[in-house]
Amino acid sequence: MRYLITGGAGFIGSHLSDELLGRGHRVHVLDDLSTGSMDNIRHLKSHPAFEYTIDTAASSRLVAELVDDADVVYHLAAAVGVELIVESPVRTIETNVHCTEVVLAQASKKKKPVLIASTSEVYGKSDALPFREEGDLTLGATSVGRWAYACSKAVDEFLAIAYWKERKLPIVVARLFNTVGPRQTGRYGMVIPRFVRQALADQALTVYGTGEQRRCFCHVQDVTRALADLMLNEEARGEVFNVGSSEEVSILDLAHRVIRECSTESEIAFIPYDEAYEDGFEDMHRRVPDTRKINSAIGWEPTVGLDGIIGDVVDSHRTAVPV
Ligand code: UDP
């Protein structure tokens, strides 16, 4: 099979490339390197079944050409990372909505199946835990930048489902919860690579708010396996799936576990949200996926626990930046 992956030089996209190439398929990556990086795909450049184009998924002409050469499309190109979203709201909204419009329109012309990567952010402030795919989305005021991201991804989902219902385009929506692993950068806010970098440099770990907020972290290799298997399942077409782990941890506990794993003397610095992000920033207290739907569709469940994830990220940072 020939796969097109938009955003394929990003953290998740590059791991998805590894997964699909490992299964014997051909992969073409389209990435504008805005948050992705050549470093993420350098190891694939000599692979005979791998190609890449450095350009934008906003270009209809280019996307049309690449879709034409593909059997299946993964649309992962998006502005991600809470810090980036708060700092660059125009880019976030425009990238997330426009590129998805282009990809779906071109895929629809050729009836090529598309997986749209969405996010657990769409559940917003909902406290109906664990989050079910059919549950309500609870977003905040339009003056709070974070909700622009959630809303832009919800629009992507609406559009994908509309193409399925109205134009019979086979689509799958994957709502990715906190995904972690080697190659993820902390530059756009993600907490585990930031904590690991801070701990290995003997700096204080920056815990935002009280650190009582809780998250579930899933290893990127578990996530990419889910993404690959979802597109093989006819029953998944037109459906939305949560993809994430249910192992919850508070951010403060996470900081202690990273410090322990790195055997460092780092302290913990509590940073108020207003200082970390912007005035009026709203964080989610808890975020837990209900994964029964994906489990019954493809038998998926995560295989790597939090200790394995932290260990893997620490190892990858140690190899990349000797301390
Ligand atoms: N966080 C933190 N320190 C950091 C970066 C993030 O305490 O240096 C917190 C953040 O406020 C959130 C959690 O860690 O409560 C997860 O943040 P991340 O940006 O990784 O993902 P989110 O769940 O917010 O999408």
Side-chain angles (χ1 to χ4, degrees):
M1 299 269 276
R2 298 164 305 164
Y3 287 88
L4 170 63
I5 308 179
T6 72
F11 158 58
I12 299 176
S14 66
H15 283 278
L16 180 60
S17 299
D18 291 337
E19 175 75 31
L20 295 171
L21 289 166
R23 293 182 183 208
H25 300 299
R26 303 193 65 79
V27 169
H28 195 127
V29 157
L30 171 63
D31 201 300
D32 68 358
L33 300 185
S34 52
T35 55
S37 152
M38 282 309 292
D39 289 342
N40 290 339
I41 52 170
R42 201 173 306 282
H43 64 291
L44 297 175
K45 278 169 81 176
S46 57
H47 195 296
F50 181 76
E51 285 174 283
Y52 66 95
T53 303
I54 303 306
D55 211 325
T56 171
S59 159
S60 296
R61 185 198 49 77
L62 176 61
V63 170
E65 218 172 274
L66 297 177
V67 162
D68 215 24
D69 286 339
D71 301 307
V72 178
V73 180
Y74 280 90
H75 179 46
L76 272 61
V80 290
V82 178
E83 231 170 80
L84 174 71
I85 288 151
V86 169
E87 273 166 24
S88 313
V90 173
R91 172 171 152 201
T92 298
I93 300 166
E94 287 185 353
T95 305
N96 291 358
V97 177
H98 182 60
C99 294
T100 306
E101 283 171 354
V102 168
V103 168
L104 287 169
Q106 298 310 323
S108 178
K109 281 186 189 157
K110 302 284 157 78
K111 289 277 173 281
K112 302 284 172 77
V114 185
L115 181 140
I116 300 285
S118 184
T119 165
S120 57
E121 285 272 327
V122 298
Y123 291 105
K125 299 189 272 190
S126 169
D127 52 13
L129 290 155
F131 295 146
R132 290 190 54 240
E133 289 87 347
E134 303 311 315
D136 289 342
L137 311 185
T138 312
L139 305 187
T142 49
S143 54
V144 179
R146 173 172 211 156
W147 306 123
Y149 174 62
C151 198
S152 67
K153 296 303 287 188
V155 169
D156 288 353
E157 292 195 17
F158 277 122
L159 192 61
I161 293 165
Y163 267 99
W164 164 250
K165 288 185 176 160
E166 197 181 320
R167 314 243 170 116
K168 308 285 171 275
L169 175 69
I171 62 92
V172 174
V173 173
R175 281 189 189 153
L176 308 187
F177 283 64
N178 295 67
T179 304
V180 194
R183 297 185 213 141
Q184 185 176 41
T185 165
R187 207 176 305 142
Y188 309 109
M190 282 71 166
V191 67
I192 290 190
R194 287 172 66 93
F195 280 0
V196 168
R197 190 177 41 75
Q198 290 163 342
L200 290 178
D202 278 325
Q203 293 167 353
L205 273 61
T206 52
V207 169
Y208 298 161
T210 61
E212 284 167 14
Q213 69 273 30
R214 301 166 78 80
R215 293 291 187 274
C216 303
F217 296 94
C218 194
H219 196 285
V220 66
Q221 280 168 10
D222 280 326
V223 170
T224 52
R225 182 169 47 85
L227 298 180
D229 287 347
L230 277 172
M231 286 310 263
L232 300 178
N233 187 326
E234 292 288 327
E235 307 278 294
R237 303 288 155 91
E239 297 289 332
V240 177
F241 293 91
N242 288 335
V243 182
S245 152
S246 314
E247 184 185 347
E248 252 194 308
V249 64
S250 77
I251 297 303
L252 183 56
D253 187 18
L254 176 70
H256 286 299
R257 286 166 76 160
V258 169
I259 288 172
R260 218 169 31 240
E261 176 70 27
C262 295
S263 316
T264 147
E265 301 292 309
S266 287
E267 293 178 348
I268 288 175
F270 289 92
I271 316 277
Y273 284 119
D274 291 359
E275 224 173 273
Y277 298 111
E278 62 175 355
D279 279 349
F281 182 82
E282 293 179 80
D283 203 9
M284 292 82 173
H285 190 59
R286 291 178 66 199
R287 182 191 272 166
V288 186
D290 183 326
T291 50
R292 280 176 297 179
K293 187 170 173 185
I294 187 168
N295 183 265
S296 74
I298 57 168
W300 182 84
E301 56 184 46
T303 60
V304 188
L306 184 58
D307 286 332
I309 292 173
I310 296 173
D312 213 9
V313 175
V314 170
D315 284 351
S316 70
H317 279 240
R318 279 208 168 108
T319 336
V321 191
V323 182

